[in-house]
Amino acid sequence: MALVVQKFGGTSVGSIERIKNVAKRVIKEYEKGNQVIVTVSAMAGETNRLIALAKEITDLPDERELDVLVSTGEQVSVALLAITLIKMGYKAKSYLGHQIKILTDSAFTKARIINIETDKIKRDLDNGYIIVVAGFQGVDEYGNITTLGRGGSDTTGVALAAAFKADVCDIYTDVDGIYTTDPRIYNKARKLKKISYDEMLELASLGSKVLQIRSVELAKKYKVPVHVRSSFSDEPGTIVCEEDSDMEKVVVSGVSCNKDEARITLVRVPDKPGVAAKLFGAISAGNIVVDMIIQNSSIDGTTDLTFTVPKSDLKKTLNLVKAISDEIGAKDVLYDEGIAKVSIVGLGMRSHSGVAAKMFEVLGNAGINILMISTSEIKISCAIDEKYTELAVRLLHDAFELDKENVEG
Ligand code: ASP
Ligand code: MG
């Protein structure tokens, strides 16, 4: 008997009809003799609707209260799924994060899971129950409701799979796997059979919305194989797992883009020790994740410091930065929301040279100016003017021949 964790996204539970469809998939797994834990997102559009309500009141709603608000979306969908399963003749129970409990830290709107209690659910599973867990939510040590960040139900799924030592975590979503790039941007995008945790981690952090980045971090840490697949077909999707020899032998596996970042520049910052620490210390204390950072070499004792943050954190970041910029003696604070980041990712970069040069050449030949560059061992990212995003993705996809499957190397 296996233990399977299934996660269904918002589109998959977007209507009662679709919830019935989900229930059938759950039952199919259960009827194979497996124990099944299901976690679901809020019904499609619900989380956005709830956030919009709060934003009618204020641009910066109190984050503790925002979590109380948005966690209700998942409460509705777990109950509806459990009701459906019971109506279909099965034993099912829904649980909210605090009932289980899924213990998190207190970083409201982006909390991290610390521990999941398993005793109660193990007992239920042994008694033949199908367990339906609210995705995206937890509870901190003081009993406050927390949420795990947008897309956080993926993380709930993987964390449950890790805690219960599940054999697999199936992530059912509205796409049928991981593609070489977003098929809506380029019709030559190709579905990958397998992808390594590290590549997926880069793609997720680069803005691929298929899996929440923390879910991939957790999957990698606990070696949970994740199967990303469509909730509307039986076709196999993409397996996210440890690097192995039958993965495609290519330099670049995917091209991604992200329009969700904004650029902030502190102009003419005095070039002396402690300035960056003070600035980024304050930003990180606000739980804001900074992505690209550039500091110019200084001329006349000052330097420009440029960095990017998620657009959703721009206001909060500007408030923090403006409070500090006087203190550190910066002349001005500028920001720009019209940027995009285009990236190429691939394990093969570790052993091939000239990959960055080729990327810059492709962009240069198309007249696309590169605003910022950042690299890791298996990724190269360029910030560019947002209006060239799709063009850049297509050109890079062609240049690295990602439409062709390559298994020989
Ligand atoms: N409902 C939450 C969101 O929309 C969590 C999720 O869907 O994974 O972000
Ligand atoms: Mg999602």
Side-chain angles (χ1 to χ4, degrees), residues 7-10 40-43 45-48 51 70 73-74 135-136 149-155 212:
K7 179 262 172 177
F8 293 89
V40 291
S41 300
M43 295 170 83
E46 180 63 7
T47 310
N48 287 343
I51 292 173
V70 295
E74 275 72 10
F136 179 52
R150 299 308 306 268
S153 302
D154 296 335
T155 300
Q212 197 200 32

Side-chain angles (χ1 to χ4, degrees), residues 103-175:
L103 180 70
T104 70
D105 61 20
S106 304
F108 297 115
T109 77
K110 47 186 84 159
R112 279 181 185 270
I113 296 177
I114 296 168
N115 183 52
I116 297 185
E117 285 179 20
T118 56
D119 293 0
K120 189 164 43 185
I121 290 190
K122 274 191 184 142
R123 232 175 298 131
D124 285 341
L125 287 169
D126 289 341
N127 287 326
Y129 282 93
I130 294 168
I131 304 301
V132 188
V133 176
F136 179 52
Q137 57 175 264
V139 63
D140 74 3
E141 60 177 317
Y142 311 105
N144 296 304
I145 292 174
T146 55
T147 66
L148 310 178
R150 299 308 306 268
S153 302
D154 296 335
T155 300
T156 307
V158 174
L160 288 165
F164 288 90
K165 304 195 169 41
D167 298 84
V168 64
C169 180
D170 279 326
I171 306 261
Y172 287 91
T173 175
D174 52 359
V175 295

Side-chain angles (χ1 to χ4, degrees), residues 327-355:
E327 197 185 321
I328 60 181
K331 287 280 164 308
D332 203 359
V333 179
L334 310 174
Y335 67 93
D336 179 3
E337 291 186 85
I339 63 156
K341 188 173 64 171
V342 178
S343 313
I344 55 176
V345 171
L347 291 177
M349 275 180 217
R350 289 189 299 222
S351 49
H352 286 74
S353 61
V355 184

